[in-house]
Amino acid sequence: MPRLKRNHWLQAAQPRSFTGLMGLYESNYRRFERLVPELDLPFDAAESHGADATLYLRVVERCRYTTTIHLTYWFGEGDELRPDPDLLLRIYRDAQLAEAISCDARSRYVALAGVPEIDEDVLKTQWPRNLLLNKWLAYCLAQGHGFGGAHRPRNPA
């Protein structure tokens, strides 16, 4: 029997299925882990200057097993300044999953905003939002973004 890769269930699962969504969350976590190697996030906010634009990360909430993060680019100037994409992520450190929990309605990704209770409709909503996160994290990594550097404010221990 051939040996399966770590994300074998993402590859084997049906798109828009619960199993596929969990595989997507795992893939999001792995990509986020490459972007932010210190998953304890010893800072409240950081910027990464890549080849394309500046990526902004802000810690919104810290809990025992999860961290909620705002991740975005900012485009425009003055009154025209807007985040795009404007994602709120929840990192589940214990389960090693990362979920896009919202996409701001002011973003051009308005169709992905809002999350109802978990049911079939949620799978339809969560799949595109988390696929967006997955592809965007891959793009950010390809552009040289990363928050592993020492040049950012650190929280006191």
Side-chain angles (χ1 to χ4, degrees):
M1 179 181 272
R3 186 167 176 91
L4 297 174
K5 294 181 180 178
R6 180 152 176 72
N7 289 341
H8 69 279
W9 49 302
L10 176 59
Q11 295 165 355
Q14 293 295 317
R16 298 180 188 264
S17 69
F18 180 76
T19 305
L21 186 60
M22 292 302 104
L24 191 53
Y25 288 179
E26 180 188 2
S27 180
N28 289 346
Y29 183 88
R30 297 291 167 232
R31 288 182 176 178
F32 185 79
E33 186 176 44
R34 287 180 47 213
L35 188 66
V36 186
E38 297 174 281
L39 286 176
D40 62 338
L41 295 158
F43 52 87
D44 290 326
E47 298 176 7
S48 173
H49 304 282
D52 56 349
T54 301
L55 181 62
Y56 296 89
L57 180 150
R58 180 176 54 86
V59 176
V60 175
E61 180 182 51
R62 296 173 194 273
C63 297
R64 185 173 182 179
Y65 300 108
T66 64
T67 305
T68 303
I69 295 162
H70 179 238
L71 191 64
T72 192
Y73 285 132
W74 286 93
F75 293 106
E77 295 180 20
D79 292 343
E80 299 296 317
L81 191 63
R82 71 184 187 333
D84 194 9
D86 190 19
L87 290 170
L88 199 60
L89 320 175
R90 180 150 303 129
I91 308 301
Y92 300 87
R93 292 181 310 280
D94 57 336
Q96 297 187 344
L97 302 172
E99 171 189 18
I101 58 174
S102 75
C103 188
D104 193 289
R106 292 170 292 184
S107 171
R108 63 183 160 153
Y109 303 102
V110 67
L112 304 179
V115 179
E117 293 297 316
I118 300 256
D119 59 17
E120 195 63 32
D121 289 336
V122 170
L123 289 176
K124 291 177 186 173
T125 305
Q126 284 289 81
W127 186 267
R129 180 182 341 197
N130 281 279
L131 191 57
L132 166 70
L133 171 60
N134 194 271
K135 291 178 182 275
W136 188 42
L137 289 173
Y139 174 80
C140 290
L141 289 165
Q143 296 302 308
H145 286 291
F147 294 98
H151 302 293
R152 57 174 194 244
R154 297 181 71 83
N155 290 335

